[in-house]
Amino acid sequence: MYIFGGGHVAQALVPVLTPLDFPCVVVEDRAEFARRELFPTAREVRLAEFSDPAVYAAITEDDYLCIMTRGHQNDLLVEEMALHTPARYIGLIGSARKSAAAFEALREKRFSNGELRRIVTPIGLPLGGRTPAEIAISIAAQLIQYRSGLVPKERRGFHDVD
């Protein structure tokens, strides 16, 4: 599990995912949020630029990515880089409106609707949660569904991209 962004939701998500056998690598571009003490159960915490290709080089078809950076531009950058990986799951936190804007920008970069469907958004199951802890539980539940194969391939990702 690669988590891009080290904010409040990421800080709540890592301790939920660790005992579920989703070892986490947190990638953050701000030193104050890329601190080991914020993520004591993470396998690794990396201070890195989101545009650095080395960050994505080790991602395999068995890996999951959660994108929850501090802003739309960073999210868009990570989405673009993530689409060049074979990641099993690419999840984006945020609203349908935010996702639609990101997809429009990715289309301008020549990504196809089929490629955009790899992005799961909004991330998490609709449990009605609002706090970082509640959102973390909804994300973890969705990841368990994907890992167990309960989400058919044709139902994965964001479908309103046409």
Side-chain angles (χ1 to χ4, degrees):
M1 167 57 65
Y2 287 82
I3 299 174
F4 291 88
H8 297 302
V9 175
Q11 291 169 34
L13 184 59
V14 171
V16 171
L17 292 179
T18 300
L20 298 174
D21 199 27
F22 283 101
C24 297
V25 175
V26 178
V27 180
E28 173 58 61
D29 68 342
R30 300 169 292 174
E32 63 270 24
F33 287 94
R35 297 188 345 249
R36 170 53 80 182
E37 58 268 21
L38 294 176
F39 303 97
T41 62
R43 175 178 281 171
E44 184 180 350
V45 179
R46 292 184 192 169
L47 175 61
E49 293 297 322
F50 297 127
S51 60
D52 183 357
V55 171
Y56 306 87
I59 294 173
T60 72
E61 63 275 354
D62 295 324
D63 291 321
Y64 298 75
L65 282 63
C66 287
I67 303 168
M68 48 186 67
T69 72
R70 69 183 176 282
H72 298 298
Q73 290 301 331
N74 286 320
D75 285 348
L76 183 61
L77 176 60
V78 176
E79 287 173 87
E80 183 178 356
M81 300 294 281
L83 286 170
H84 291 293
T85 73
R88 180 176 185 178
Y89 173 98
I90 302 170
L92 173 65
I93 200 166
S95 67
R97 188 175 132 216
K98 172 185 170 182
S99 300
F103 288 163
E104 186 58 37
L106 290 167
R107 278 190 197 95
E108 290 175 10
K109 294 177 180 273
R110 304 287 186 232
F111 285 95
S112 70
N113 286 340
E115 290 169 309
L116 296 180
R117 281 194 184 91
R118 292 185 59 211
I119 300 172
V120 178
T121 188
I123 193 173
L125 297 181
L127 303 178
R130 300 210 181 275
T131 68
E134 292 169 334
I135 294 166
I137 295 297
S138 74
I139 293 169
Q142 185 178 65
L143 290 168
I144 292 167
Q145 280 188 329
Y146 272 75
R147 182 173 63 189
S148 67
L150 290 177
V151 180
K153 191 165 183 115
E154 65 275 5
R155 298 262 336 224
R156 294 180 178 185
F158 187 76
H159 293 278
D160 297 331
V161 295
D162 293 325

